[in-house]
């Protein structure tokens, strides 16, 4: 194997691991991992998911947004698959399917979850500290399953200083209605 081929393989494995790490960081509330996953400035495009226009934010603002969106849930599971990577020197483009499941134990209605099927489209750059995501586009490939109103309920919990259960496997959702 030549060095160029070896470097190409290492880059692909590293990028794939970074994308998987993004899912784990959200589910495990590993906000301190975001600066190792994202560039210092990130374009976040949720227009195809939530209707908000794309905008460039500092990684710290991205952490705050993710924390506010997710910490109010008792559990989340972001399942990433079919990672496809195109490399062009120090730039990479990546697509991945994602299934994002969000659970709120105390939901007032008969449904205590919402799930989104979608795609992440990522643009990454090679930095002196390794590959980092500089653009994150979240799109849906189908309607939201369950109760989409749980996003607002979870955000209200966070705004009120309340967070969901610990994501470290200590959740017991056997009593859930799902």
């Amino acid at each position: 194997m030549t060095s160029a081929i070896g470097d190409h393989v290492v880059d692909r494995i590293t990028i794939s691991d970074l994308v998987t790490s993004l899912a784990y960081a959200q589910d495990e509330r590993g906000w301190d991992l975001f600066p190792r996953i994202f560039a210092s400035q990130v374009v976040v495009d949720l227009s195809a998911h939530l209707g908000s226009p794309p905008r460039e934010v500092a990684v710290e603002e991205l952490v705050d947004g993710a924390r506010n969106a997710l910490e109010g849930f008792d559990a989340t599971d972001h399942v990433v698959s079919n990672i496809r990577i195109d490399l062009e020197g120090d730039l990479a483009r990546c697509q991945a399917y994602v299934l994002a499941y969000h659970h709120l134990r105390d939901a007032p209605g008969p449904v205590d979850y919402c799930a989104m099927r979608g795609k992440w489209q990522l643009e990454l750059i090679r930095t002196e500290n390794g590959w980092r995501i500089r653009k994150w586009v979240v799109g849906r490939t189908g309607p939201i399953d369950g109760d989409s109103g749980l996003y607002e309920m979870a955000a209200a919990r966070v705004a009120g200083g309340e967070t969901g259960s610990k994501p470290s496997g200590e959740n017991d959702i056997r009593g859930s209605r799902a």
Side-chain angles (χ1 to χ4, degrees):
M1 178 169 16
T2 69
S3 176
I5 292 172
D7 290 345
H8 182 81
V9 170
V10 168
D11 285 340
R12 292 178 63 78
I13 291 169
T14 302
I15 290 168
S16 181
D17 188 53
L18 197 67
V19 173
T20 303
S21 293
L22 173 54
Y24 276 97
Q26 292 177 89
D27 295 336
E28 297 298 322
R29 312 306 194 250
W31 311 125
D32 59 322
L33 297 175
F34 272 49
R36 290 183 263 171
I37 295 170
F38 290 97
S40 59
Q41 291 292 126
V42 185
V43 174
V44 179
D45 184 347
L46 303 174
S47 57
H49 173 43
L50 301 175
S52 54
R55 59 190 203 107
E56 187 170 342
V57 298
V59 69
E60 297 82 10
E61 187 177 345
L62 181 61
V63 167
D64 289 341
R67 180 182 288 124
N68 290 333
L70 298 176
E71 278 195 355
F73 286 102
D74 293 306
T76 61
D77 291 300
H78 290 77
V79 180
V80 180
S81 67
N82 299 8
I83 298 172
R84 186 170 156 186
I85 301 164
D86 294 315
L87 288 165
E88 298 173 23
D90 292 339
L91 176 66
R93 287 183 179 77
C94 176
Q95 278 192 116
Y97 291 113
V98 63
L99 174 60
Y101 173 84
H102 306 80
H103 173 73
L104 192 59
R105 180 177 296 134
D106 298 327
V111 179
D112 60 359
Y113 74 93
C114 59
M116 187 275 291
R117 295 180 310 274
K119 263 188 198 174
W120 286 346
Q121 294 179 359
L122 307 166
E123 196 172 280
L124 301 96
I125 54 169
R126 186 191 320 264
T127 71
E128 62 186 31
N129 297 315
W131 287 98
R132 298 292 186 265
I133 298 169
R134 75 172 181 190
K135 184 174 184 182
W136 184 17
V137 179
V138 179
R140 278 193 255 151
T141 57
I144 289 180
D145 294 326
D147 184 353
S148 62
L150 297 186
Y151 285 109
E152 288 98 33
M153 286 182 235
R157 284 173 96 184
V158 172
E162 193 181 338
T163 60
S165 301
K166 295 181 182 176
S168 63
E170 295 177 25
N171 291 337
D172 182 358
I173 61 172
R174 290 176 286 185
S176 74
R177 295 163 290 206

